[in-house]
């Protein structure tokens, strides 16, 4: 019998990704975003949320407040998604530099903000060991390239071993500025280089998700014709005059970016707190300004109804591309896409395996056993955090331990450390352990949920002053 090819033993995984783009026009979050996040769709089992906002409140007082504290939108999304096991995928400042950096300079790389632009990534916690944030970039294009009211923000990551870039952008407005929009599109693309990661060009990445308020307009047709076409849901004539669609027909690079069919009404410009298109004196012509595009490496020619391939085992299917008329806090309607990403993981096992079955308590300490792969390079600043299930982000640890400082034994690849649990009251809550790698700036191991057996806890004791910060 012929030997089995090791590649055939890898199982294909299907992961669902929900992408949101919304120009929120400086508004605060509405009370309910269930429709936007598809929380009531029982047919969806989402793994990742990618959320891009434009025109967040970027007044000086708001920016200072959001630097010191979580901005209202990020906080809102964390409150909604954390009970569903979603965590912001993020990185940390190295332990040795904590004393050198003020608190306001510590970065969260699961999110990146440039004035009014915000980009967030949430993933179910079991995926975190396979998500490595490699870099973030902000590319301002406003005021001759120095002002961040327009431009793009990017998160570049490894996802189960594949390179993925995610870009949220806000391009120049107005009908006459189409050439400028295309120029800014090219400029943002040119600035996404990552020499330090040995991936010199964004076009070498396996997947690029590009979305935002692109501000492309509908040419030629007058206001009355456009509004009547929308009223009668006759969009085909409008598609022919959509500036982005026209540019994609002529620009070889843009042509490589795909988009779902525009089967929803133009998403701009509405009177706030209504579903009526602009009734002001300007009476701006409706347009599909808010778009979600994607590009897969080495993709063949394909239609929207067929899968598109970037590599032998990396396949993307578009499940939905819709607007959400329910929300009226802005003059834009939000747009979402849901994708199924089918892949054979290039990384199929975590670098660290935490063993909850080996947990035992002794006085005020919890003994943790863990193993690591042969190619994992540990650091003196690696740490293990103890979390309650439902954490909002990685700063929400209830206790932690520096693995080198508190190591008690190791043999045959099995390591053991104690973690202080004296501050934890008796509870029936479930807990998780995260192993954070300082070298990789990411979570590389997560335990299964477990309970700490009720016991008599000691009085509270002080925490180590050098706490891990994100």
């Amino acid at each position: 019998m012929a030997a089995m090819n090791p590649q055939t033993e890898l199982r294909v995984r299907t992961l669902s990704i929900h992408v949101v783009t919304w120009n929120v026009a400086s508004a605060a979050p509405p009370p309910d975003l269930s429709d936007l996040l598809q929380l009531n769709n029982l047919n969806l089992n989402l793994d990742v949320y990618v959320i891009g906002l434009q025109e967040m409140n970027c007044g000086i007082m708001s920016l200072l407040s959001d630097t010191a504290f979580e901005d209202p939108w990020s906080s809102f999304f964390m409150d909604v998604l954390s009970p569903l096991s979603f965590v912001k995928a993020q990185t940390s400042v190295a332990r040795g530099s904590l004393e050198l950096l003020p608190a306001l300079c510590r970065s969260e790389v699961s999110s990146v903000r440039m004035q009014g632009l915000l980009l967030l990534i949430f993933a179910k916690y079991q995926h975190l060991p396979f998500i490595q944030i490699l870099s973030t970039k902000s590319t301002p294009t406003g005021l001759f390239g120095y002002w961040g009211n327009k431009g793009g923000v990017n998160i570049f990551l490894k996802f189960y071993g594949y390179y993925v870039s995610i870009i949220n952008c806000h391009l120049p407005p107005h009908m006459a500025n189409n050439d400028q929009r295309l120029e800014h599109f090219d400029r943002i693309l040119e600035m996404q280089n990552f020499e330090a990661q040995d991936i010199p060009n964004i076009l070498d990445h396996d997947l690029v998700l590009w979305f935002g308020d692109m501000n492309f307009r509908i040419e030629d047709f007058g206001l009355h014709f456009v509004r009547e076409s929308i009223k009668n849901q006759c969009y085909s004539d409008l598609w022919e005059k959509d500036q982005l669609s026209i540019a994609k027909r002529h620009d070889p690079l843009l042509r490589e970016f795909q988009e779902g069919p525009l089967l929803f009404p133009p998403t701009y410009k509405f009177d706030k707190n209504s579903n009526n298109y602009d009734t002001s004196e300007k009476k701006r012509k409706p347009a599909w300004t808010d778009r979600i595009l994607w590009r897969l490496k080495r993709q063949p020619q394909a239609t929207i109804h067929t899968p598109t391939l970037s590599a032998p085992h990396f396949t993307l299917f578009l499940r939905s591309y819709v607007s959400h008329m329910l929300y009226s806090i802005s003059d834009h309607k939000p747009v979402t896409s849901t994708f199924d990403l089918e892949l054979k993981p290039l990384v199929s096992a975590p670098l660290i395996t935490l063993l909850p079955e080996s947990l035992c308590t002794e006085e005020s300490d919890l003994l943790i056993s863990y193993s690591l792969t042969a190619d994992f390079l540990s650091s003196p600043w690696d740490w293990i955090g103890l979390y309650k299930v439902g954490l909002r982000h990685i700063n929400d640890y209830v206790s932690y331990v520096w693995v080198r400082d508190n190591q008690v034994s190791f043999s045959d690849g099995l390591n053991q450390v104690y973690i202080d649990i004296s501050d934890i009251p008796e509870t029936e809550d479930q807990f998780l352990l995260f192993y954070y790698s300082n070298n990789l700036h990411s979570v590389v191991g997560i335990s299964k949920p477990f309970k700490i057996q009720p016991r008599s806890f000691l009085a509270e004791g002080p925490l180590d002053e050098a706490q891990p910060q994100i």
Side-chain angles (χ1 to χ4, degrees):
M1 182 180 293
M4 180 177 289
N5 186 333
Q7 290 295 325
T8 63
E9 298 178 357
L10 293 175
R11 292 179 57 226
V12 174
R13 298 200 59 176
T14 300
L15 304 173
S16 292
I17 302 172
H18 190 65
V19 180
V20 176
T21 181
W22 194 4
N23 183 321
V24 297
S26 299
D32 186 2
L33 288 175
S34 297
D35 184 66
L36 183 74
L37 300 175
Q38 294 290 282
L39 301 183
N40 299 323
N41 189 338
L42 302 179
N43 296 321
L44 282 182
N45 183 19
L46 295 172
D47 296 280
V48 178
Y49 281 95
V50 176
I51 300 170
L53 305 181
Q54 307 87 39
E55 286 197 22
M56 285 181 58
N57 188 347
C58 56
I60 185 63
M61 294 306 296
S62 176
L63 284 174
L64 289 174
S65 174
D66 293 348
T67 302
F69 309 100
E70 201 75 53
D71 70 86
W73 282 93
S74 295
S75 183
F76 185 95
F77 287 123
M78 283 191 288
D79 288 343
V80 171
L81 295 176
S82 61
L84 304 176
S85 299
F86 286 93
V87 183
K88 276 208 301 182
Q90 55 193 28
T91 188
S92 168
V93 176
R95 175 188 177 189
S97 65
L98 285 173
E99 294 78 18
L100 303 179
L101 291 176
L104 296 185
C105 292
R106 297 170 187 165
S107 61
E108 295 183 356
V109 188
S110 62
S111 60
V112 57
R113 182 172 179 182
M114 180 181 70
Q115 289 182 220
L117 283 170
L118 177 68
L119 177 56
L120 300 163
I121 298 176
F122 292 86
K124 283 191 173 173
Y125 66 79
Q126 58 264 37
H127 298 301
L128 294 187
F130 306 100
I131 299 175
Q132 183 186 354
I133 306 282
L134 298 178
S135 179
T136 64
K137 280 185 178 290
S138 300
T139 306
T141 59
L143 195 62
F144 307 105
Y146 293 100
W147 191 241
N149 63 322
K150 297 292 185 292
V153 290
N154 169 275
I155 293 179
F156 170 41
L157 54 89
K158 261 191 172 181
F159 189 67
Y160 283 91
Y162 295 90
Y163 291 105
V164 177
S165 270
I166 300 170
I167 302 174
N168 172 27
C169 75
H170 193 182
L171 302 182
H174 307 310
M175 177 72 72
N177 288 334
N178 190 44
D179 288 344
Q180 190 179 15
R181 279 187 282 278
L182 296 173
E183 178 189 336
H184 286 201
F185 192 98
D186 289 341
R187 189 185 310 171
I188 293 169
L189 194 64
E190 289 169 2
M191 294 299 292
Q192 307 307 316
N193 48 59
F194 305 91
E195 291 88 348
Q197 309 300 333
D198 198 31
I199 300 292
N201 192 295
I202 192 173
L203 300 180
D204 291 325
H205 300 174
D206 296 287
L207 171 63
V208 179
L209 286 171
W210 192 323
F211 51 85
D213 179 3
M214 299 189 181
N215 259 320
F216 289 102
R217 305 306 169 98
I218 297 173
E219 294 183 344
D220 297 341
F221 296 130
L223 174 63
H224 178 74
F225 180 84
V226 171
R227 289 194 174 183
E228 282 299 307
S229 297
I230 296 169
K231 180 180 177 181
N232 296 319
Q233 297 184 4
C234 296
Y235 302 134
S236 56
D237 288 336
L238 305 184
W239 298 336
E240 293 298 316
K241 297 299 181 179
D242 169 69
Q243 289 178 332
L244 178 55
S245 300
I246 294 170
K248 280 171 57 63
R249 291 196 292 267
H250 297 94
D251 186 289
L253 181 55
L254 259 177
R255 195 179 301 135
E256 294 184 7
F257 284 87
Q258 299 189 64
E259 183 182 16
L262 297 170
L263 301 178
F264 49 87
T267 54
Y268 173 86
K269 172 180 171 65
F270 289 87
D271 294 333
K272 289 186 180 181
N273 302 311
S274 81
N275 285 332
N276 300 319
Y277 285 104
D278 188 13
T279 60
S280 70
E281 290 184 3
K282 293 184 178 180
K283 287 188 171 57
R284 291 179 179 87
K285 190 164 57 173
W288 286 288
T289 56
D290 310 278
R291 313 290 277 268
I292 298 173
L293 310 178
W294 73 94
R295 178 190 183 273
L296 287 142
K297 187 178 176 182
R298 298 190 301 275
Q299 61 183 353
Q301 295 296 320
T303 69
I304 195 64
H305 302 293
T306 62
T308 54
L309 306 176
S310 66
H313 307 295
F314 196 78
T315 307
L316 196 70
F317 296 88
L318 176 66
R319 293 185 63 173
S320 71
Y321 187 36
V322 297
S323 65
H324 298 262
M325 297 291 289
L326 176 66
Y327 302 105
S328 56
I329 60 171
S330 168
D331 53 353
H332 291 250
K333 299 299 181 183
V335 172
T336 64
S337 282
T338 304
F339 298 95
D340 280 345
L341 178 61
E342 291 187 359
L343 56 83
K344 282 191 175 180
L346 301 179
V347 179
S348 57
L351 294 172
I352 297 289
T353 301
L354 293 152
L355 306 173
E357 62 268 21
S358 300
L359 291 168
C360 63
T361 58
E362 181 177 325
E363 295 183 346
S364 63
D365 291 324
L366 188 68
L367 182 63
I368 301 167
S369 299
Y370 66 93
S371 61
L372 47 89
T373 60
D375 57 346
F376 176 70
L377 181 62
S378 63
S379 161
W381 316 129
D382 289 357
W383 53 276
I384 296 174
L386 176 69
Y387 299 84
K388 286 185 179 181
V389 170
L391 66 151
R392 296 168 81 247
H393 55 67
I394 205 171
N395 270 346
D396 285 343
Y397 52 83
V398 295
S399 189
Y400 69 94
V401 60
W402 302 107
V403 294
R404 292 282 184 89
D405 292 351
N406 296 275
Q407 186 169 282
V408 293
S409 67
F410 62 92
S411 62
D412 298 326
L414 189 67
N415 299 265
Q416 291 184 317
V417 295
Y418 280 110
I419 188 168
D420 179 25
I421 57 172
S422 61
D423 289 338
I424 304 172
E426 293 191 10
T427 177
E428 287 296 316
D429 290 329
Q430 287 194 315
F431 291 85
L432 294 165
L433 293 166
F434 286 15
Y435 186 109
Y436 188 88
S437 165
N438 186 70
N439 289 333
L440 297 177
H441 305 296
S442 61
V443 172
V444 294
I446 296 179
S447 74
K448 296 178 181 178
F450 63 92
K451 287 186 177 181
I452 298 176
Q453 296 301 318
R455 49 185 292 280
S456 297
F457 290 86
L458 300 181
E460 293 185 0
L463 288 175
D464 185 342
E465 291 183 0
Q467 298 182 18
Q469 296 289 331
I470 303 302

